[in-house]
Amino acid sequence: MCKTVADVKSLLANPESEIDVPVTGTFGAEIGKPRSGRNGVAYYLVDLWDYTGSVRAFAPKTDWQGILPGPRSTLDCGIELRRDRHGQAQAVLRPTRETDNPRSSIELLPGHVAPNVEDLERLVDLASALRTPAYRAFLENVFCDQSFTRLFVTLPASKSCHHTDAGGLLSHSLEVAEALKAATRELPNTPELFAEAAVVVALLHDAGKVLLRGPAGHRYPCRHHDHDHLLELALSGPLTRLKQTNQNATGVLWGTIKAYQSGDTYNMPLAGVIRGLDGTSAQNSGLKTHLTSNPGYYWTKLGGRRPVWIPPTLNHHSVP
């Protein structure tokens, strides 16, 4: 049975649904230190997660002798439903060597820390819709890096300009990528390899911000508004692996990245579309931020260097 955290939560919410054998699955996991129950049985408290959310489970210590407390990239396990002394259903984990649910790093996005789990589901849908295997593998390699992924899904897009809430970076990135994908549908003559490379770059166009806001951000010789210059550095590992497996896909993706960075989009026009959609997404969010805090002022820097004109609302006294 193919199970996600959402499926496990559904089973816990409906414990009358009997399961003959433990369901098996692969999840991200963080394992707590051993504890002892009232019955004297030692167990580990385990937080399981994937792109659908997170759930707490219990792992009897006698069954998990070789396991160590702390975060794990993946945990293969069987899940049984047991009732506690209060009659509440609980998830109990059993070791298993084989699961019927092989899962990629994109499916194991950190639902336990993401401010908006719905955005994780949008990201999975976007990646799954790619028809170029090389680009799906590229995204899997990007999100294999847990430190990068956690920051990518939790950071705001900016401190004071646009998408300033936690998770704003992912929300903004998805807005740009989804809009780019919709735009390519209106361009039927665009080769699929070029269109999907643009979707990938649109999704990751702010990856340099993750480096700048990470623990080593102070080491990079550029300011926050120059994060574009760090895009290929942020993606260097996955780009190297892509080059080893598919030269054509690498060339198109690299060309799109360089066109996006330089603004020279003659040969890669979709890179210019990414620029436009990036600005549109940022301004729409900035409008909301500015008008909420400064309803009577029309010039703002939106956290940037240049003033931007924000038109008054139609019901403002200055509008004839």
Side-chain angles (χ1 to χ4, degrees), residues 22-42:
V23 296
T24 58
T26 302
F27 304 91
E30 185 158 343
I31 301 163
K33 295 180 179 179
R35 301 184 181 186
S36 293
R38 290 178 177 271
N39 57 0
V41 176

Side-chain angles (χ1 to χ4, degrees), residues 160-165 171 175 280-295 300 302 310-311 313:
S160 59
C161 176
H162 67 94
H163 298 88
T164 56
D165 295 332
S171 179
E175 284 181 14
T280 299
S281 173
Q283 187 173 38
N284 286 341
S285 174
L287 279 169
K288 296 177 184 178
T289 302
H290 171 75
L291 293 177
T292 299
S293 58
N294 302 290
T300 177
L302 290 176
I310 303 296
T313 57

Side-chain angles (χ1 to χ4, degrees), residues 206-224:
D206 276 344
K209 291 182 179 180
V210 175
L211 296 186
L212 288 174
R213 298 189 186 182
H218 62 283
R219 299 179 181 177
Y220 297 104
C222 66
R223 298 183 179 180
H224 181 72

